[in-house]
Amino acid sequence: MDFTLKTYQSLLSALKHAGYTFQTFEEFLSVPADGKVVVLRHDIDKRPENALRLAQIEHASGVKASYYIRIVKGTWNEEIIEQIVALGHEMSYHYEDLTITKGNYEKAFEHFKVHLVEIRRFYPAKTICMHGSPLSKWDNRKLWEKYDYRKEGIIGEPYFDVDYTKVLYITDTGRAWNKTGVSVRDKVEGGLELKVRNTHRLITLITQNDVPEKLIINTHPQRWFNFGWGWMKEFVCQHIKNVIKKVLVAFMH
Ligand SMILES: [Zn+2]
């Protein structure tokens, strides 16, 4: 069964065993590690509780990831944001301001700045990532044709600040890896390519050293569930208890 939390964990293990260093997107841009590096980029489009589960699994595996959350109702959840940040992950804004303001650039930029401040209440965000808004006619990235996110203290946006001829981008958009037919905007142009049927195949390629040294793996947490959740819950809960303790201890000192 694919897109289960257990499969996700196997993916993390495969990356670790293959010698990958896990960096947040911010670290990847500002202090890039040598050799094999993977950035786990998560777009929280909906079901933020699923994102928290992935964040917990990653923390239990000793790795960091980058989370981008939409500010829309049903997705934005401050309790969950706080918990993901406490687990040591990067957290920032999954922006869609141009869609929200129906193409009004001025309003969109004001809207962007207000919500960047909001997210910075929880994390000193230095990167951002656009929401693809597949059903909208507005391409949220176009905001940056008129404005400059660098002036707002942002050092990177995955669609503009990564050289995809050197970094392999793989995304679970459409519940398959790099399934080009289903992604409207969640893709990059002219970069390295790898088509894989399922996560198990991706794991095999990683194990065999058949993937590039630099990877950005984009997942949408709402797609990742566990049908055998009882098993996983046990596993994760054990770790979470320890994690919460560790976090509490760290905050009290
Ligand atoms: Zn999105």
Side-chain angles (χ1 to χ4, degrees), residues 11-20 22 60-63 206:
L11 176 62
L12 294 183
S13 300
L15 288 162
K16 278 171 84 173
H17 285 120
Y20 278 89
F22 294 76
S61 301
V63 305
I206 290 166

Side-chain angles (χ1 to χ4, degrees), residues 125-138:
K126 284 194 190 155
T127 69
I128 45 167
C129 177
M130 71 118 188
H131 173 58
S133 303
L135 300 176
S136 156
K137 62 175 171 173
W138 308 108

Side-chain angles (χ1 to χ4, degrees), residues 18 26 58 72 78 82 107 120 160 171 182 193 230 251:
E26 181 188 335
E58 287 158 345
V72 295
E78 300 192 349
E82 274 174 357
K107 278 188 186 163
R120 281 177 170 161
F160 296 111
T171 174
V182 293
E193 265 188 56
F251 272 80

